[in-house]
Amino acid sequence: MNRAADVAVAGFGLLVAAPILGIAAAGVKLADGGPVLYRQQRVGKDGVEFELLKLRTMVVGAETKGAVDEGDSRITGPGTLLRRLSIDELPQLWNVIRGDMSVIGPRPTLAYQVERYTPHQRRRLEVKPGLTGWAQVHGRARLPWAERIELDIWYVDNRSPLVDLKILLRTPLALFSGTYKGASGGWRDPA
């Protein structure tokens, strides 16, 4: 999608999602009194890092204790629902408005993962990361990591308004098809 379309879609999405975000933020805050937003450095287009925003779904400090899996005891009560419905990702609409992300593109990853990319896999960094993408509508984290990267590279090579439309139309179904795949989402944790 072009920048104007990204801003229009994200702005409309934030307007529509505002009541949901308000209720979700209250639930996160009431659960344990911690911060509402979770901020994490991710890698975007051309390898540039940015601060990704999410609603916090885990106890404070949980990220220091390894990867998360379904049923993880570190996930808060509201966090379970927010993750299941992908509501925790809605603050990333602000990342789109800021220009860090696009509505459609490969999901942004962590620096330690990018450091282990092959030159071929680094091609997924040729476009802005997205809220949803080709890999998300073809299985999300149920797919092995290498297969997700290949789907992202396919998108980089074949992106078009028609492909973007297909992704947008398939995204609602993908949101409800599950997120988890083992302790690391299919990624090999660094030794």
Side-chain angles (χ1 to χ4, degrees):
M1 296 182 81
N2 66 39
R3 178 81 180 121
D6 274 341
V7 171
V9 169
F12 179 74
L14 277 173
L15 183 66
V16 170
I20 296 167
L21 277 167
I23 292 167
V28 169
K29 190 67 171 176
L30 291 171
D32 64 8
V36 170
L37 290 177
Y38 175 69
R39 301 164 186 269
Q40 186 178 51
Q41 287 298 115
R42 295 287 180 105
V43 178
K45 186 176 186 300
D46 300 324
V48 176
E49 289 193 23
F50 69 96
E51 185 179 68
L52 179 107
L53 302 174
K54 296 179 81 164
L55 288 171
R56 186 174 56 82
T57 60
M58 298 179 71
V59 298
V60 175
E63 69 278 1
T64 64
K65 298 177 176 89
V68 64
D69 200 5
E70 191 169 17
D72 194 304
S73 64
R74 297 171 292 169
I75 299 173
T76 64
T80 301
L81 180 63
L82 297 178
R83 283 172 173 257
R84 182 176 302 128
L85 300 176
S86 295
I87 293 170
D88 62 321
E89 307 287 350
L90 288 175
Q92 289 165 42
L93 290 165
W94 184 248
N95 285 112
V96 173
I97 290 173
R98 285 193 328 204
D100 301 324
M101 293 176 64
S102 180
V103 172
I104 299 171
R107 288 295 295 155
T109 53
L110 298 163
Y112 84 86
Q113 294 169 326
V114 172
E115 289 169 4
R116 297 179 66 184
Y117 283 177
T118 66
H120 174 72
Q121 292 172 330
R122 287 191 67 83
R123 296 210 45 241
R124 75 189 300 270
L125 303 176
E126 292 176 11
V127 298
K128 283 185 182 179
L131 298 173
T132 186
W134 196 244
Q136 280 64 48
V137 299
H138 284 89
R140 294 178 85 182
R142 289 175 297 149
L143 300 173
W145 184 256
E147 189 173 337
R148 281 185 270 165
I149 290 177
E150 287 304 314
L151 288 167
D152 288 337
I153 294 167
W154 183 92
Y155 174 77
V156 168
D157 291 339
N158 295 281
R159 61 196 159 137
S160 70
L162 181 59
V163 170
D164 287 352
L165 181 60
K166 286 180 182 179
I167 292 169
L168 284 175
L169 293 174
R170 292 179 182 177
T171 293
L173 180 61
L175 289 175
F176 299 106
S177 66
T179 300
Y180 300 99
K181 179 184 173 63
S184 63
W187 176 258
R188 307 169 316 277
D189 283 327

